[in-house]
Amino acid sequence: MAATDAPIPDLRGRADACADRLRAADRVLLVSHIDADGLTSAAIASSALARASIDHRVVFEKQLDDDAIAGIAARDHEVVLFTDFGSGQLDAIATHETRGDFVPVIADHHQPADADTRYHLNPLLEGIDGASELSGAGASYVLARALEGPAVDNRDLAALAVVGAVGDMQDGGGGLVGANEAIVADGVDAGVLESRTDIDLYGRQTRPLPKLLEYASDVRIPGISGDEAGAIRFLRGVDVDATDDDGDWRRWVDLTDAEQQTLASALIRRAVSSGVPADRVDALVGTSYTLLDEAVGTALRDVSEFSTLLNATARYDRADVGLAVCLGDRGAALEEAHRLLRSHRRNLSEGLQWVKTEGVTDEPNLQWFDAGSRIRETIVGIVAGMAASSSAVDRGKPVVAFAEASDVELKVSARGTGLLVRRGLDLSVVMRDASRAVGGDGGGHDVAAGATIPAEARDAFLERANALVGDQLS
Ligand code: C5P
Ligand code: C5P
Ligand code: ZN
């Protein structure tokens, strides 16, 4: 039976029901989403199924639309386990369930559609926020704990669950909160995770110090951010050796605790003296999550860098590579992931640059850009998120981004802020209702959502979305 110490007690009943159904299944098809959270969800669920000796196959889908669900039904498995999606498509899934095509088991954190099913593990059904408190990987982890047998301890999988949560930006306020904290605690207990107060800059494990400072984009420090020479000048003025004996730049992880303290304090003083607002200065410090089984100085050791590496695989049709890395491949798959990461980075930086150069179009209640074929539809959401948190846009309105999905369809990605959500914004409703009104479909979270619409429907969609956002914020 399930573990006695369920990590999130409110979800225990649902997790146990799902686990029991999976144990009783002959053949399970595990279907997951193609992003960092979806990959880690699949790796967690697949590991737990394997440890419970439950026969299964793993496949990935870019999006769970009617065609994809029909394709899944055609694969003829008794039970289909959906991770990191499924709740938002429950209406379509229920049709197949009723027909006897398969029994769905769902571990997800997206806003559910107007339908329910028997084996449904979703934090939102128990009053836990699916955008900020539990990810798809977190839901899969809760399921994994419920799948434990007498000699099985699945707490090591908490490491991947934290990668998934951070990949979904659930650490927005500087660290993970709510249900996610229980998973962090499991990882720490199991000895696979360290959580500590640290400088909150991307690249602590792998970036040479000048790059760490230059590329830090969340908090802009004049004369350092986006300014390599400025970053180097700043480092020269601090009483910490920024280079090693060979004259190579050191990385954040190469510094001693005392050196990290000195450098962090100097950076904060510099931010204050250059007039960075107090709340932005505070954002320079946060919680870092370190995977203790990974080698020091590698992208896999820092959960944030790990999640970027995973996005670099699955969003380019190489989910197999990301899954293999999650499952422990440190040879050919990891090498391929690094190759993909280099081109992913280039795509993101070119995409963001394009948005900054072209600018966004303002509507009364939102701002938008249409990247056409310049930004790949699978990463336009990431670029929209980067744009939304940059100085390139008005932070008082959500950002809606379009990219070509095919000759006949447009991909839409929308991103808001925590402040807008507190004022009433729910982009999952905006994307679902505006897309359905023009013959498309969508959903997601309050703060981040997406849709697919017919190519010619862009302007009608925008008009609807603008009106919906206006209603929510009024
Ligand atoms: O499909 P999934 O739930 O995994 O995707 C979540 C998306 O929402 C990610 O692209 C993530 O960056 C975005 N997000 C965000 N801000 C949040 C929560 C999620 O931009 N606070
Ligand atoms: O694709 P993007 O990163 O913009 O997706 C943001 C969120 O909206 C994700 O959680 C994604 O799963 C969800 N989404 C959805 N239906 C779509 C497109 C995106 O539920 N058609
Ligand atoms: Zn997710």
Side-chain angles (χ1 to χ4, degrees):
M1 280 276 56
T4 47
D5 52 339
I8 298 158
D10 289 351
L11 293 177
R12 179 170 183 175
R14 291 177 181 277
D16 285 348
C18 291
D20 287 344
R21 186 61 191 89
L22 290 165
R23 280 196 200 91
D26 269 342
R27 275 148 51 84
V28 174
L29 183 65
L30 166 50
V31 192
S32 198
H33 192 208
I34 56 144
D35 66 0
D37 190 31
L39 279 175
T40 48
S41 298
I44 290 166
S46 177
S47 300
L49 290 171
R51 291 173 189 179
S53 304
I54 300 171
D55 188 27
H56 67 282
R57 292 185 58 84
V58 186
V59 297
F60 291 90
E61 294 288 348
K62 183 161 69 182
Q63 201 181 297
L64 209 50
D65 55 21
D66 293 350
D67 286 348
I69 299 170
I72 289 161
R75 296 179 70 118
D76 200 23
H77 282 66
E78 181 201 358
V79 170
V80 179
L81 170 57
F82 295 93
T83 59
D84 193 34
F85 53 21
S87 297
Q89 299 77 19
L90 257 178
D91 35 6
I93 290 171
T95 312
H96 287 277
E97 183 178 17
T98 313
R99 236 187 258 154
D101 292 347
F102 56 77
V103 175
V105 176
I106 297 172
D108 189 12
H109 67 133
H110 290 97
Q111 203 54 249
D114 292 331
D116 204 5
T117 191
R118 186 138 169 227
Y119 310 108
H120 189 190
L121 175 56
N122 184 320
L124 291 158
L125 300 172
E126 301 297 341
I128 298 170
D129 187 354
S132 62
E133 284 195 66
L134 199 71
S135 67
S140 302
Y141 175 76
V142 171
L143 175 63
R145 292 297 315 276
L147 280 166
E148 286 176 350
V152 178
D153 181 350
N154 281 336
R155 289 177 309 161
D156 59 319
L157 301 174
L160 288 172
V162 172
V163 174
V166 170
D168 264 12
M169 308 281 187
Q170 299 200 333
D171 61 341
L176 295 171
V177 297
N180 276 320
E181 283 181 295
I183 300 180
V184 169
D186 270 9
V188 171
D189 283 348
V192 293
L193 186 71
E194 179 190 72
S195 138
R196 70 200 272 272
T197 301
D198 205 341
I199 191 115
D200 205 356
L201 299 180
Y202 181 86
R204 285 174 295 238
Q205 290 289 330
T206 65
R207 283 189 172 159
L209 287 170
K211 298 276 176 230
L212 180 78
L213 299 175
E214 177 194 346
Y215 291 149
S217 55
D218 282 359
V219 182
R220 289 203 64 80
I221 305 175
I224 294 180
S225 309
D227 181 347
E228 186 182 8
I232 293 174
R233 260 196 314 278
F234 166 77
L235 286 167
R236 300 263 186 247
V238 180
D239 187 22
V240 166
D241 275 332
T243 51
D244 62 17
D245 294 344
D246 299 330
D248 293 327
W249 292 111
R250 296 167 79 198
R251 300 160 302 187
W252 185 255
V253 287
D254 300 324
L255 306 181
T256 64
D257 287 356
E259 289 172 325
Q260 290 182 350
Q261 281 282 342
T262 305
L263 189 50
S265 305
L267 191 65
I268 289 166
R269 277 198 307 278
R270 170 66 177 266
V272 171
S273 69
S274 8
V276 174
D279 67 314
R280 297 279 78 207
V281 174
D282 289 347
L284 283 169
V285 176
T287 307
S288 66
Y289 302 99
T290 305
L291 301 193
L292 298 175
D293 289 340
E294 305 298 342
V296 174
T298 62
L300 301 179
R301 196 165 163 98
D302 181 88
V303 297
S304 190
E305 296 192 60
F306 195 156
S307 78
T308 307
L309 186 78
L310 295 179
N311 276 322
T313 65
R315 291 179 190 264
Y316 299 85
D317 290 324
R318 295 307 307 273
D320 58 319
V321 173
L323 181 65
V325 171
C326 287
L327 293 174
D329 187 323
R330 297 293 175 264
L334 182 58
E335 202 175 301
E336 179 64 8
H338 275 292
R339 200 189 58 74
L340 290 161
L341 178 61
R342 284 191 288 278
S343 80
H344 177 52
R345 286 236 167 86
R346 205 164 41 238
N347 292 343
L348 290 182
S349 113
E350 286 172 8
L352 184 60
Q353 196 49 53
W354 183 84
V355 177
K356 286 181 172 170
T357 309
E358 296 291 313
V360 294
T361 305
D362 268 298
E363 303 296 338
N365 305 313
L366 56 81
Q367 51 202 327
W368 61 276
F369 64 87
D370 184 347
S373 58
R374 284 177 198 84
I375 300 176
R376 202 181 157 95
E377 51 136 342
T378 51
I379 64 162
V380 73
I382 302 181
V383 176
M386 292 164 75
S389 64
S390 79
S391 48
V393 304
D394 174 357
R395 290 179 58 84
K397 290 192 265 190
V399 174
V400 175
F402 298 91
E404 248 174 58
S406 70
D407 288 345
V408 293
E409 284 184 325
L410 279 180
K411 169 71 203 301
V412 193
S413 279
R415 295 293 186 271
T417 64
L419 189 64
L420 288 169
V421 168
R422 286 193 288 281
R423 283 178 47 207
L425 181 74
D426 186 345
L427 290 173
S428 72
V429 173
V430 174
M431 287 297 111
R432 190 192 59 210
D433 292 358
S435 65
R436 288 190 175 175
V438 300
D441 202 5
H445 310 290
D446 48 16
V447 72
T452 300
I453 58 170
E456 70 283 358
R458 189 191 76 188
D459 294 341
F461 171 87
L462 272 171
E463 197 172 313
R464 285 275 181 159
N466 180 64
L468 286 164
V469 174
D471 289 346
Q472 291 178 348
L473 295 180
S474 69

